[in-house]
Amino acid sequence: EYRRLAFTAAFFAGITQVTLGFFRLGFLIGFLSHAAIVGFMGGAAITIALQQLKGFLGIKKFTKKTDIVSVMHSVFASAHHGWNWQTIVIGVSFLSFLLVAKYIGKKNKKFFWLPAIGPLISVILSTFFVYITRADKQGVQIVKHIDQGINPSSVDQIFFNGGYLLKGVRIGIVAGMVALTEAIAIGRTFAAMKDYQLDGNKEMVALGTMNIVGSMASCYVATGSFSRSAVNYMAGCQTAVSNIVMAFVVFLTLKFLTPLFKYTPNAILAAIIISAVIGLIDFDAAYLIWKIDKFDLVACMGAFFGVVFVSVEIGLLIAVSISFAKILLQVTRPRTAILGNLPRTTVYRNILQYPEAAKVPGVLIVRVDSAIYFSNSNYIKERILRWLIDEEELVNKSGQTKIQFLIVELSPVTDIDTSGIHAMEELLRSLQKREIQLILANPGPAVIDKLHASGSAQLIGEDKIFLTVADAVASCCPKSVGEV
């Protein structure tokens, strides 16, 4: 049933990928942010590594759950009678070798082949060691018999009904999305290195087709491999012929060499998997995320702890939910800024970014850094009014010129809807009660067209709409501009 579930997941992962590519829905992958993927992959790496402790420590009875609490309870519960010291020696020795080989390959590009050939060397040496010492009789678990030949057909093994269908669909969709994200990220990396373009939708269709066909030939979900692609790249391979050669070697191995792997210890397979997944834990990327955006770190950690303490699906759900929350927060709470004049110029910039920028007496200049829609129009209006109240209180205390003009810089505003126009009209009425004139600077084509269509431009006044902030200031307050 476990094997059949793997085939089912591969099939529906392929269906998901082909569907996304065919209907050009690749933008959906964008909801899996880089931060979420970093956390998700790190959590998945730890989960996979923990599952290998069964073979690494020689434990016979092991939990089927994937969360860290259940796994560690199973490990320590069998510590007194279930661990095998010979197995641990084999696992630790070859894991150390693999990690050292990976380190050498990363530090010295001349030895790029060493991490690639390390697993093969480990399998050969460990199998030979177990064979000559007959360690399998001392409790070291071995692979034993492996069927010769290529994978049999698994079309009749896929669940198309029954209780496991829904589980297979769910796992397949999650795995398919993650596989797509990883494959396209890897593809873009090498496309940038080799200076060629990548069509994301074609990549999706290709990966999906591969997984659908693979699911019918006893394969589990597959994606692009960064390590294998890197080995191909460093070896100078230019075309997919290298994959044909690799496939031929694998075919010969399956056809004629499987008896040689009878004494391969399970510990070495666990060590190979652990060494492979350790690279998925990207501490540097997590540190960079922390430095750049703390909210992204929340998404990263949410995905990580969700996978480690609950399950893969929950971890991914947490990551996507936090990413959605960030999008909603940015949409509903867009950035706004008060602008000031840079000395001896007609340039107006954010006073927080440019402390030397001076406010114009009697004028409040505000910039809105987002499209104005129903989701944020009320917030923008209230934010501007709060700023206006704060400025008026500041002016009253300092005895400066009373605010007479509010200039709204609209160049970053790409669009506005009916709610936005309604909020603009409410702002105008509030300003009129305070005897303050509303002036607009540099509205884009979409914004000005809708202002005219709604009649708001006439309500505000055609003479109150200017090309630049400098023109607006010069028109309404020429003496102050001269002083500034």
Side-chain angles (χ1 to χ4, degrees), residues 45-94:
I46 289 179
T47 299
I48 294 168
L50 289 173
Q51 290 296 307
Q52 302 311 310
L53 291 178
K54 177 184 179 182
F56 195 80
L57 302 175
I59 301 173
K60 293 182 179 180
K61 292 183 179 180
F62 200 72
T63 180
K64 293 183 179 180
K65 297 181 179 179
T66 60
D67 63 282
I68 188 171
V69 176
S70 300
V71 171
M72 296 313 296
H73 179 269
S74 180
V75 168
F76 289 116
S78 59
H80 296 294
H81 55 83
W83 294 13
N84 181 273
W85 71 266
Q86 295 99 327
T87 300
I88 296 173
V89 169
I90 294 172
V92 171
S93 301
F94 284 100

Side-chain angles (χ1 to χ4, degrees), residues 383 385-395:
R383 181 63 176 149
L385 288 175
R386 280 200 302 271
W387 257 334
L388 189 62
I389 292 169
D390 292 342
E391 286 296 313
E392 286 178 333
E393 290 177 356
L394 191 62
V395 165

Side-chain angles (χ1 to χ4, degrees), residues 4 7-8 11-12 154-161 215-216:
R4 292 184 64 187
F7 302 152
T8 305
F11 178 80
F12 285 104
S154 57
V155 177
D156 59 336
Q157 299 289 304
I158 300 173
F159 288 111
F160 289 110
N161 51 49
S215 70
M216 299 177 182

Side-chain angles (χ1 to χ4, degrees), residues 57 84 118 187 193 206 218 220 239 248 388 411 429 443 445:
L57 302 175
N84 181 273
M193 292 167 63
S218 301
Y220 55 76
T239 69
F248 183 67
L388 189 62
S411 57
R429 286 192 287 271

Side-chain angles (χ1 to χ4, degrees), residues 182-196:
E182 184 182 357
I184 291 177
I186 293 168
R188 285 174 179 165
T189 300
F190 286 97
M193 292 167 63
K194 301 287 283 185
D195 194 27
Y196 61 84

